[in-house]
Amino acid sequence: MRPRHVVVRDIRRTTADLLDALAASGVAATHEAQGRAGLLATDIRPIQTDAVVAGSAVTVLSHPGDNLMVHAAVEVCRPGDVLVVALTAPSTDGMIGDLLATSLRAHGVVGIVTEAGIRDTTTLRAMDFPVWARAVSAQGTVKATPGSVNVPVVCAGQLIEPGDAVVADADGVVRVPRLAVAEVVDAVRERLASEERKRAQLAAGTLGVDMYGLRPLLADLGVVYVDVDADR
Amino acid sequence: MRPRHVVVRDIRRTTADLLDALAASGVAATHEAQGRAGLLATDIRPIQTDAVVAGSAVTVLSHPGDNLMVHAAVEVCRPGDVLVVALTAPSTDGMIGDLLATSLRAHGVVGIVTEAGIRDTTTLRAMDFPVWARAVSAQGTVKATPGSVNVPVVCAGQLIEPGDAVVADADGVVRVPRLAVAEVVDAVRERLASEERKRAQLAAGTLGVDMYGLRPLLADLGVVYVDVDADR
Amino acid sequence: MRPRHVVVRDIRRTTADLLDALAASGVAATHEAQGRAGLLATDIRPIQTDAVVAGSAVTVLSHPGDNLMVHAAVEVCRPGDVLVVALTAPSTDGMIGDLLATSLRAHGVVGIVTEAGIRDTTTLRAMDFPVWARAVSAQGTVKATPGSVNVPVVCAGQLIEPGDAVVADADGVVRVPRLAVAEVVDAVRERLASEERKRAQLAAGTLGVDMYGLRPLLADLGVVYVDVDADR
Amino acid sequence: MRPRHVVVRDIRRTTADLLDALAASGVAATHEAQGRAGLLATDIRPIQTDAVVAGSAVTVLSHPGDNLMVHAAVEVCRPGDVLVVALTAPSTDGMIGDLLATSLRAHGVVGIVTEAGIRDTTTLRAMDFPVWARAVSAQGTVKATPGSVNVPVVCAGQLIEPGDAVVADADGVVRVPRLAVAEVVDAVRERLASEERKRAQLAAGTLGVDMYGLRPLLADLGVVYVDVDADR
Amino acid sequence: MRPRHVVVRDIRRTTADLLDALAASGVAATHEAQGRAGLLATDIRPIQTDAVVAGSAVTVLSHPGDNLMVHAAVEVCRPGDVLVVALTAPSTDGMIGDLLATSLRAHGVVGIVTEAGIRDTTTLRAMDFPVWARAVSAQGTVKATPGSVNVPVVCAGQLIEPGDAVVADADGVVRVPRLAVAEVVDAVRERLASEERKRAQLAAGTLGVDMYGLRPLLADLGVVYVDVDADR
Amino acid sequence: MRPRHVVVRDIRRTTADLLDALAASGVAATHEAQGRAGLLATDIRPIQTDAVVAGSAVTVLSHPGDNLMVHAAVEVCRPGDVLVVALTAPSTDGMIGDLLATSLRAHGVVGIVTEAGIRDTTTLRAMDFPVWARAVSAQGTVKATPGSVNVPVVCAGQLIEPGDAVVADADGVVRVPRLAVAEVVDAVRERLASEERKRAQLAAGTLGVDMYGLRPLLADLGVVYVDVDADR
C-alpha cells in the first residue's frame, strides 16, 4: 500500500504536441470528443478572460486552509504542467497567492486548477498567470498539515491522475486520461473539421433541422407545426 | 387544446421603434417604468461586459440537456428577435454553442436569454453575440426530445409570451408584455427625463433627502439625528 | 440607550495617510497583517475589474428593498468615506443606482460595500465608481422604512463600526477597526517588504520548502518522497 | 386593463371530487400524468412529514417582507382552498405565522404554498396545518405595501392561475390548470392502475428491463454486458 | 488591548428567570419584541424537531476544522449556558460530536449553536441534546490551532457577546443583548398576551383586515376589489 | 480499453461480516478510522431519520434525467448491495421512485445513494427503504440514454469502485475501498473502544483539555487565560 502521505517525484506526462492540440481545440470540443466525460463542476471559474491552457496534471491533495503540500509540489513540477489542487474537505480559503504563483511559474507551471479559493487575483492577472478556482478569497492559509503530491485525486467531481491532460478555458476545465489523449486528439480534430464545414453552412442560412436531418425526428416525436397558436 | 408539442410559425412581434426605445432605456429603468414587474431571476447573468439588447421573444420550451427544439426554433426567428430558452427541469448544461449562435445570427437573432447553461463563450464574445445564461458549461446536449417553440414559457421565474419585448443588459433581463410596450416606453421616457434633471441636482450636491422631500418622513418614522453616538 | 433609529452626524475617522497605506497594501496583505480577521463573506464581489479603495466607513442599517436611509446617509459623508450598507433581513434588490452614486460622489464617497444588490452597473463602471455587492439586480427600492446611519452594523458576516477602515479590491473586502489601523499598517508594511524579498527568491527558482525551512516539518508529519508511485 | 392592484373576489374553482382524486394520487403521479409539467422548484419544501393536500389556488402577489395582501386574501378564501403566495422580489422573510394560519383555517384553507419563508413552525405542526415554503425564518413582516389577490402569478417558477388545482406532498408541489384537471385525473388513475400491476411484478422479482422490454434498446444503444471488467 | 488568543473565565450571564421567559416565548416573538434585530442567518437549522432552548452564550472563535478551543471552552461553561461556535473562515466540517456533547452536558450546557457543521447526529438526538448548525458532516477536526473563548464573535451574521441570551427553536436562533433582556422579556410578554386575544378573534372568523383596521390603508394604496377578473 | 457503455455482471464484494461491523460503527467513526477520506459531499442527505446501512456498491453511471441504466443495474444486484447512482452532468430530477425501489428490494438491495434526486419519498419511508440523495423531486425520467453499471464512478465528489463498502447514516455517506475494509474495521473497533472509555470520563466531568493533555499546547500557542475581559 502507498504510504499515507506521499510526494511522488516522477510521473509520466502527456507529450507537448498532444497538449498543444488540446489547447487549440478548447474545453467544449475536447469534452465532446471524449464522449462527454471528464468535465469539472461548473462552479470552477477562471479569474481571467478568455485564457486557455493545456498541461500535464501535477496533483495535490491538501488539507483545507493549508498550503504546505502546494509548496511541496513545486519541486516536482516541470515546464508545461498544470497544478491541480484538491481538498480533503470543502473550503473557499485563498490557498494560493502571487508568491506561490511566482514560484510555480519559475518552475514552468502554466496554470492552476483548484476546488479551493485563490487570492492576489489582480497581481495574477497582471502576471498573465491563469487560474481556475471555486472562489476568490483573501483568506490565507497555514503550512501545517500533511497531504500528498501526485496521487490520484477527485477535484470538483472528477478523478484526475498525475500526468493526465487538463484543459481549461473560459468554458471550464476538462480532464483527459493520459492514455486516452492521443485518441481524443484524433477525435477532436475530426470533430473540429466537421464543425468548420457546418459553421459555414449555418452562417449561409442553412437550417440545423435540415443540415442534421431532424425533420423526420420532429415529426416522429409528435411535434406539430402551426401557423398561429390556436390557444391564444 | 394546443397539441402537446408545437412549433408556432407566426407570432405578433413588438415593433422595432419600441424595441429601440427600450434598449436605449435599459433594464433598470424599464423595470421601474412598468411597476417593477417582469424581472428575471438575478442569477441569469451576461457572459459579456455592458452589452444591451431589446428584441421580440421567440420562446423555446426544452427538455434539459437537449437542444433539438432550439434548432427547430431557428426557422421561425426573424431579424431583431431574442431567443428565450426555458427548461422543463433544472439543468446547467451548455445548450447553445457557437454553431447554433452562428445559425441564429444568420437568421437575425440579436441575443439569447436562457435559464440553462451556455458554452463556447470565448467565441461568442469574439462574435459580439450577447448571451444571458444561468451558467457557463462545456457540457453539450443531445437532439432527441420534443418540446415547443413560441408557446408561453416561464423562464427564470417570469412568464414570457412569444412576441413580448425582452430587454437585457448588465443589470439583468426584463420582460415587457407585447401589448404593454407602448405604454411602458412612454413611462420610461418620462422617468428618464426626470432622472436627468435629478442627476444634475445631485451632482451639484443637492441632498436626496431635500430633493425628494424626505425629512418630514424621517421625522415621522422616528429617525433621530444626533451629533455623536451616546452609546459609544 | 441609543434611540431605535438614529443618524449620527459626527464620527471619528481613519486618517487619510493610513487609508492610503492600506489601499497600497491591498486586501489580502491587510487581512493577513491583522491576524486574518475582518474579511467579509466571499460572495461580496466587485462589479468592476481590479479597482482598489480604502476609506472610513459610514455605516447604514437598512430595511431590505428600501433605500431611505442611504439617502439620509449622504449628508454625513465626507471625502474619502466608503459607504457600508447592511440589511436587517436578506435581500438582493438593487438598493443603489447611478443617481445615488452621483449624489454620494458629489459628497466625496469613494466606494460602496453592501450585502444587498446594486443596479445601473454599466453607468457605475463608466463613472469609475467602485462597488462591492452581493448581487446585481435591476430591482429598485422604496423610500419608506426607518433605519440608522453610523451605528455598528454586521455586514456580510463582519462587525463594522463607523469610522473603521474598509479596504476593498479584487480579492474582496476587509475591515480594520479604527483604533487598530496604525498598528496594522506597520505590520502590513513589514509583511510586504518581507514578501518582496521572498518574491525575488522564488522568481529565481528557490523552493518554498527550502526558503521557509519546511523539509523537517514534512518529515515529521510523515510525508514520504518516492520516485514512482508503487500503487500504480 | 386590470387595475394595478386588485383583489378578485369570485374565482372559478376546481371541484372537490377532482381535488380528492388528485390528493389520492400525489404529486409525482399527477406531474407525470400531465406530461411532466407544472412542478414548482424543488427548494420549496414541506415543514411537516408526509402530509398531502390538493386545493383550489387562491393566489397572492405580495411585496417581499410584507403580508398585507395575505390578510386581504383571507376574505376571499373558501373551504378547500390552498393559499399560494408569490413575491415581486426574492425574500426568505417569514411572511406567515400561526395567527394568519389560524385565520386562514377559520376560513377553510387547507394549506399554504409560498416562495417566501414561514415562521411559528412548531405551532403550525401542532395545528396540523401543512405548509410548503422556501425557508423557515422568524423574520416577521410589515403590512404596508399593495399587491394583488387572485391574479395569475409565477410562484417558484410555475405560472399559477386562481382556481387552478395545486397538489402538494412530501415530493413537492405541482399545479394543474383548472380546465385540465378532469383530463389529468383520468390519466393519473390509468397510470396508477398500471403502476399497481407493475409493482406486483417487480415485487415478485421480474426485472424492469424485461417488463418494459428494454433489452433491445440497450443493445441498440451499444451497451455491452461483460462478466468481469477487463480494465481492472 | 486584549491578547490575541484568550480564554475569559468569568462572564456576566443572563439570569435564569429571564432565560425561562424567553424560552417560553420562542424565537419569532422574541425577535419581534426586540425590534426585529438579532436573527441569525436562516441556514442555521436544528438537527432535531421542535426543541427550544434559551441560555447565556459562551462564545468560541475557532479556526475552521479545529475544535481545540471548543475543548478549552468546556471548563468555563456553567449550567444553563448555550455554546456558540463561530469560525474565522467558512467550513462545514463536523466540529462537535457526541463526545464533546457528553462533556458539554456534564458541565451543564443546554444546547449548541454553530456556523460550522455537526456530526454524530443520531446519538445527539438520542441524548436529547439540541443543536443548531449550518451543516451535518461526518468530517472530524484536529486540535491544533489557537482561538478564543468568551470574546465577542459574529456567528451566522450576528454579533454575539459572552453572556448574551441566545434563544433557539424550530424557527431559528436569535440573540438578545444581555443588558436588553429584561426589557425584551417585558415587551414579548405584552406581545404574546395581545397575540392570544387576536388568535381567539381570528379563530372565530374575524378578518385581519378588520381586526387590524387595514381597509382604509388598502383603499389608500389603490387596491381595488372586483367581483370577477375583467382580464380573463 | 473497456467498451464505452458496459454492464459488468460479476464484481468482487465486501463480505457481510465486515459490512455489519461498518454499519455498527457508523459513518463518522468509519471516516475517522480510514484517515478522514472518502466522505461524500454533505449535500447528499437522507430522506429518513436515523437509518444506517452498509453494503457493497453496485455503481451506475447515468445520463441526467434518464433511469435506463438503473433498470439495467437491478439484474446484477445481490442481497446486501447498496446502489450508487452517479450522473454525467448535474441534475436534481427524481431518478428513482417506489417502483424501482420495489424492484431493487426484491433483488436484495438495502439502500440507495445518489447525486441525483429521489421521488415517492412518503412511500419509500413507509417501505423502510433508506435513500441518500441530493434533492427530493417529483420530476420523473425517461429510459433512453446509455450508460454503465459497475464501472468506477465519481459520486458527490468521491471515487467509488464496484464492490467498495458504502456506509450511510444520519451523518452522511462514506466509501471504504474494498481492499481496505478489513484494516478500517480493525481501526474503527479500536477507535470505538477508546471513545467508549473517553465518553465515560467526559460524562463524569473530566475536561477534554486534561484528558487529551491539551493544556501545554494551548500555552505554546499563546492562548492566555484571564478572569475577566479587560477590553469590555
Side-chain angles (χ1 to χ4, degrees), chain D residues 122-141:
Chain D
T122 293
T123 308
L124 294 173
R125 277 186 287 265
M127 289 170 64
D128 262 328
F129 191 75
V131 179
W132 287 256
R134 183 155 267 150
V136 172
S137 170
Q139 175 84 22
T141 48

Side-chain angles (χ1 to χ4, degrees), chain A residues 7-11 13 56-60 69-85 100 103-112 129 149-150, chain C residues 207:
Chain A
V7 178
V8 178
R9 285 202 189 92
D10 295 330
I11 59 171
R13 287 177 162 80
S56 293
V58 167
T59 63
V60 178
M69 298 314 294
V70 182
H71 280 286
V74 178
E75 190 171 10
V76 304
C77 292
R78 298 286 169 266
D81 286 348
V82 164
L83 193 77
V84 174
V85 182
L100 250 172
S103 181
L104 288 163
R105 168 163 284 179
H107 288 259
V109 171
V110 296
I112 296 169
F129 191 77
V149 174
N150 278 334
Chain C
L207 290 166

